[in-house]
Amino acid sequence: MQAAPSAAKVPSQRPAAGRRTYVIDRGFQLKYTLLLAVLGGVTSGLFATMMYLAHQDALRDLALSAEARAQLASADTTLLMLVVAIAVLMAAALGLLGVLITHRVAGPVYVMSHYITTLAKGRFPVLRPLRKNDELKVFFGRFQEALETLRQKELDEAGTIDRALAVLRSQGDVQAALVELEAISQRKREAAGPVDAGR
């Protein structure tokens, strides 16, 4: 891998202010947004239905005139429409909340995926800090530390190769230079081997 400038020494560059995209990972975000909206709508609907049935029970126990019952029937229709409107508004509000909450998770995952793509191409990305309200900050911090460790290791090994090349160029102790190069080769082979991340 080629070494890039240290992420710690490079100032973070924020994108220019503009339109913010709240749906970054459509599948993930819409799945949980829809789940929240349906849950909110169903919960509101259940409570509203219980309230409406209790209201109807209370009316049955009252001795009312036909005219009063007609007026109450009209009021019941209004109440029913209000109950449906509240359930729909609750579902919409929870859906909007779901988009905002999942955005705080999907954003960091999207950014880290971009960094991993850059790393897979053999380059070290310049990391920028997450936004103030983003989630996964502890995970992102560990990710950043891992990248910095890898980058520093690459710089150290590049320095070792440079020293070995200087020895070879000066026709000095060629054997010592070969030992250093073999040690780097062995470390790279070990690093490329499979590791059980659970241990």
Side-chain angles (χ1 to χ4, degrees):
M1 281 187 193
Q2 297 176 348
S6 170
K9 296 179 183 176
V10 178
S12 65
Q13 296 178 352
R14 292 234 179 232
R19 186 173 66 89
R20 177 179 283 186
T21 303
Y22 282 95
V23 180
I24 296 170
D25 185 342
R26 190 178 303 273
F28 166 76
Q29 285 185 263
L30 293 184
K31 173 183 174 183
Y32 288 99
T33 296
L34 185 61
L35 183 65
L36 269 177
V38 168
L39 185 63
V42 167
T43 304
S44 298
L46 283 174
F47 278 111
T49 302
M50 288 166 57
M51 182 182 74
Y52 182 76
L53 291 175
H55 172 69
Q56 290 298 317
D57 256 1
L59 285 180
R60 272 196 295 273
D61 294 341
L62 294 175
L64 298 173
S65 66
E67 183 181 336
R69 287 198 180 274
Q71 287 178 347
L72 283 174
S74 174
D76 284 350
T77 304
T78 304
L79 178 64
L80 193 56
M81 290 173 59
L82 186 61
V83 162
V84 170
I86 288 173
V88 169
L89 284 174
M90 178 67 79
L94 284 174
L96 180 60
L97 183 65
V99 169
L100 294 176
I101 290 173
T102 56
H103 175 71
R104 293 179 181 179
V105 174
V109 170
Y110 176 81
V111 168
M112 285 186 279
S113 297
H114 175 70
Y115 291 155
I116 289 170
T117 300
T118 303
L119 191 63
K121 292 176 182 175
R123 301 301 306 250
F124 284 93
V126 176
L127 303 182
R128 68 164 178 82
L130 295 179
R131 295 164 302 191
K132 184 173 78 169
N133 294 323
D134 278 343
E135 299 294 334
L136 304 178
K137 286 187 178 174
V138 172
F139 179 75
F140 183 78
R142 290 180 181 164
F143 176 78
Q144 193 170 12
E145 287 171 11
L147 279 187
E148 182 57 27
T149 301
L150 287 173
R151 190 195 68 79
Q152 190 57 52
K153 184 178 177 183
E154 288 293 315
L155 288 175
D156 291 346
E157 291 181 350
T160 302
I161 291 171
D162 287 342
R163 288 191 300 275
L165 289 172
V167 169
L168 290 172
R169 284 192 194 102
S170 66
Q171 297 296 320
D173 188 359
V174 176
Q175 189 62 35
L178 289 174
V179 167
E180 286 191 350
L181 290 173
E182 285 173 356
I184 290 175
S185 174
Q186 182 63 28
R187 281 198 302 272
K188 286 189 174 291
R189 289 180 186 281
E190 289 173 1
V195 175
D196 184 357
R199 293 184 182 179

